[in-house]
Amino acid sequence: MPAFDTVISGGRVVTGNDVISCDIGIRGGRIVTLGENLGAADHRIDARGKIVMPGGIDSHVHIAQPSGPGIIMADDFESGTRAAVCGGNTTVLPFCMQEKGQSLRSAVTAYHKLADRQCYTDYGFHLIVSDPTPQVLGQELPALIGDGYSSFKVFMTYEGLALTDEQILKVMTVAKETGALVMVHAENYDIIRFLTDKFEAEGRIAPRFHAASRPIPAEREATHRALTLAEVVGVPVVIVHVSNGEAIEEIARARARGLKVIAETCPQYLVLTAKDLEGLNMEGTKYVCSPPPRDAASQQACWDGLTRGAFDLFSSDHCPFRYDDPQGKLTPKGRTSFRWVPNGIPGVETRLPILFSEGVMQKRIDLPRFATLTATNHAKAYGLSPRKGSIAIGADADLVLWDPSITRKIAHADLHDGSDYTPYEGLEITGWPVLTMLRGAVIVENGRLTVPKGGGAFLPRAATSVL
Ligand code: URP
Ligand code: ZN
Ligand code: ZN
């Protein structure tokens, strides 16, 4: 009997801080050997000329999430995870949103029903806590954390989601007591409401005013406040989707005071700007997300942050809506103001190619840092390590072969999500994932799915291991 189910031979393998030329022996869905001239195998994959990377973990995606009256998210779990694997990901962590008045447990049950037997990737759920009642804080949340939902997001803005500072303090206290991790959407709700009302009263309702209504100070202040609340409770915190240098400075100051802060940024803050929201007619809605893309200086600050280690996580914040659709970006007539445009853009399939091309190929980051930012740190932060996120003996054989010689332009026609556009249309990319393997099985080869949906498994998660 061959020693291995599969051997991947001849590739440049990204392991921890190193890039080594070696073969990878896989048995029972796990990596069992890294070495030279490995023996017989049932299957052999020739990786000469390719880079072998840990499968991407996208720890910030929204799939099938209710998004307001008459608005429908463009991806269900089948299409969202299909796009994910075609873009070199093997695990995603979508959000399970509690609606006001709903028990967290019933929200979890409902999301499992949506995801069960639909996914191409492995997956877990972060919880969104929108109604922190005594029952939720005292019983439901601790029980769910024990069941493997070890992270939750709180919002400082958005109708129906924003929590008061006191509520956030209470949620953070549960995290402190249980070892869970709190993720914060940091934007000042009152500033946004004030500016939105003001712009509307002045007739300034075009998509570009979305960006103007959520200026950098609104993010900077809320970031500072979120960090202050975490400091008061004495709990680590994740600041998600950081878009600019002033928020990065707040994080640096809090770290210097001794607070453990995990910081995340996303592709939209590297390659889009607020100018993209100025498209003719309603085209600008294609770029409406929060925080909004900003200016060239903010882009540069985010690149600097990626290069010098200010960021731990690079996620997509995939939150897809269709463009040419009244249930999507073109909200029904009578709701023409930017206020009604659903916030969020698709990006789960393009996250890794954009960072590979603009980061690795442009020599802003090296291959080990790419793997750390896109897989390893996500596994460590969200309780999936050492099983996920690294090429190491004993880890799941979640692997992606990258061909650095491929050049292509991003085109929505080639992507696999449920939206009808990509905000990155036309962006020139060098390097693309050509084979995705989940737990030892090839699931995508040369852009084609090789398995039916449903092979992705739910991953109950432990507490964070970066703290
Ligand atoms: O605009 C965005 N980012 N929509 C997704 C929801 C969120 O705040 O992450
Ligand atoms: Zn958010
Ligand atoms: Zn998000």
Side-chain angles (χ1 to χ4, degrees):
M1 201 173 93
F4 304 105
D5 299 333
T6 304
V7 165
I8 301 177
S9 59
R12 292 170 62 212
V13 180
V14 183
T15 61
N17 288 329
D18 298 310
V19 183
I20 51 176
S21 294
C22 72
D23 298 350
I24 303 175
I26 297 162
R27 198 171 47 231
R30 299 202 169 206
I31 298 168
V32 290
T33 307
L34 299 174
E36 287 179 349
N37 303 318
L38 299 184
D42 286 334
H43 306 282
R44 199 162 273 278
I45 295 172
D46 181 359
R48 280 174 299 172
K50 311 286 191 303
I51 298 160
V52 189
M53 210 89 81
I57 300 177
D58 196 340
S59 63
H60 189 154
V61 300
H62 303 265
I63 297 178
Q65 195 178 298
S67 306
I71 302 294
I72 295 189
M73 205 164 262
D75 274 322
D76 57 18
F77 281 85
E78 178 184 356
S79 62
T81 59
R82 179 177 66 211
V85 292
C86 291
N89 301 283
T90 48
T91 297
V92 296
L93 296 179
F95 291 89
C96 161
M97 189 179 81
Q98 175 200 28
E99 302 203 53
K100 276 242 155 52
Q102 188 184 24
S103 88
L104 266 177
R105 182 64 76 176
S106 74
V108 166
T109 305
Y111 275 81
H112 271 289
K113 219 165 148 194
L114 294 173
D116 195 26
R117 293 190 299 274
Q118 300 300 310
C119 293
Y120 290 94
T121 58
D122 285 352
Y123 61 98
F125 290 113
H126 306 291
L127 308 173
I128 290 177
V129 181
S130 67
D131 201 1
T133 61
Q135 162 76 10
V136 164
L137 294 168
Q139 277 106 51
E140 285 202 74
L141 205 42
L144 284 163
I145 293 162
D147 290 348
Y149 307 87
S150 55
S151 48
F152 32 91
K153 184 173 178 187
V154 295
F155 287 83
M156 299 174 90
T157 187
Y158 288 141
E159 198 67 45
L161 285 177
L163 301 189
T164 64
D165 291 355
E166 187 187 16
Q167 287 174 318
I168 293 174
L169 287 163
K170 287 180 178 171
V171 172
M172 286 178 168
T173 302
V174 176
K176 185 179 168 75
E177 287 164 355
T178 56
L181 198 51
V182 181
M183 312 157 75
V184 183
H185 179 127
E187 287 185 294
N188 180 306
Y189 191 26
D190 283 339
I191 292 176
I192 293 164
R193 280 194 291 201
F194 169 77
L195 289 176
T196 300
D197 290 346
K198 175 174 176 311
F199 289 145
E200 275 191 344
E202 293 165 352
R204 298 199 277 175
I205 59 170
R208 69 177 184 277
F209 292 105
H210 168 79
S213 72
R214 313 176 89 97
I216 286 173
E219 184 180 341
R220 183 195 64 219
E221 184 280 330
T223 302
H224 175 83
R225 189 155 35 98
L227 296 167
T228 305
L229 300 179
E231 204 174 319
V232 166
V233 174
V235 73
V237 67
V238 186
I239 305 293
V240 293
H241 45 48
V242 174
S243 74
N244 70 89
E246 295 187 22
I248 295 170
E249 281 167 19
E250 292 296 341
I251 290 166
R253 271 196 280 275
R255 283 174 174 157
R257 291 193 298 272
L259 186 69
K260 178 71 201 180
V261 187
I262 297 172
E264 175 200 77
T265 193
C266 313
Q268 47 271 39
Y269 308 119
L270 301 181
V271 297
L272 302 178
T273 68
K275 277 228 160 289
D276 290 304
L277 279 83
E278 293 176 10
L280 280 181
N281 303 319
M282 294 301 274
E283 286 281 319
T285 61
K286 291 181 175 177
Y287 307 90
V288 165
C289 61
S290 298
R294 304 211 182 265
D295 55 9
S298 300
Q299 281 185 338
Q300 190 55 49
C302 289
W303 274 119
D304 291 346
L306 284 172
T307 306
R308 62 182 168 75
F311 288 116
D312 308 287
L313 304 172
F314 185 73
S315 311
S316 68
D317 194 5
H318 178 75
C319 185
F321 299 95
R322 290 174 59 78
Y323 169 66
D324 193 7
D325 192 330
Q327 292 182 314
K329 292 290 188 179
L330 299 185
T331 47
K333 287 207 183 338
R335 291 192 153 195
T336 46
S337 161
F338 66 88
R339 181 197 290 271
W340 303 110
V341 177
N343 283 208
I345 57 178
V348 73
E349 192 169 349
T350 46
R351 168 185 79 126
L352 297 174
I354 289 172
L355 189 65
F356 190 91
S357 183
E358 293 288 324
V360 176
M361 299 309 282
Q362 297 291 331
K363 301 202 181 315
R364 289 165 161 136
I365 57 171
D366 61 15
L367 284 168
R369 180 114 185 94
F370 177 90
T372 303
L373 283 165
T374 60
T376 319
N377 277 353
H378 300 252
K380 287 182 178 169
Y382 295 119
L384 293 170
S385 179
R387 183 176 164 194
K388 300 287 191 190
S390 312
I391 300 185
I393 290 168
D396 280 0
D398 293 352
L399 301 167
V400 176
L401 267 56
W402 283 79
D403 185 340
S405 71
I406 292 178
T407 56
R408 58 191 273 187
K409 278 189 181 170
I410 291 178
H412 188 261
D414 301 330
L415 302 180
H416 299 82
D417 59 70
S419 186
D420 57 353
Y421 80 98
T422 166
Y424 308 108
E425 188 79 28
L427 186 67
E428 304 240 14
I429 297 288
T430 304
W432 201 267
V434 291
L435 184 143
T436 307
M437 172 182 277
L438 177 67
R439 285 180 272 108
V442 174
I443 58 172
V444 184
E445 200 164 4
N446 296 322
R448 282 186 195 287
L449 292 157
T450 54
V451 291
K453 68 178 182 182
F458 172 67
L459 302 167
R461 294 178 294 112
T464 177
S465 58
V466 287
L467 308 168

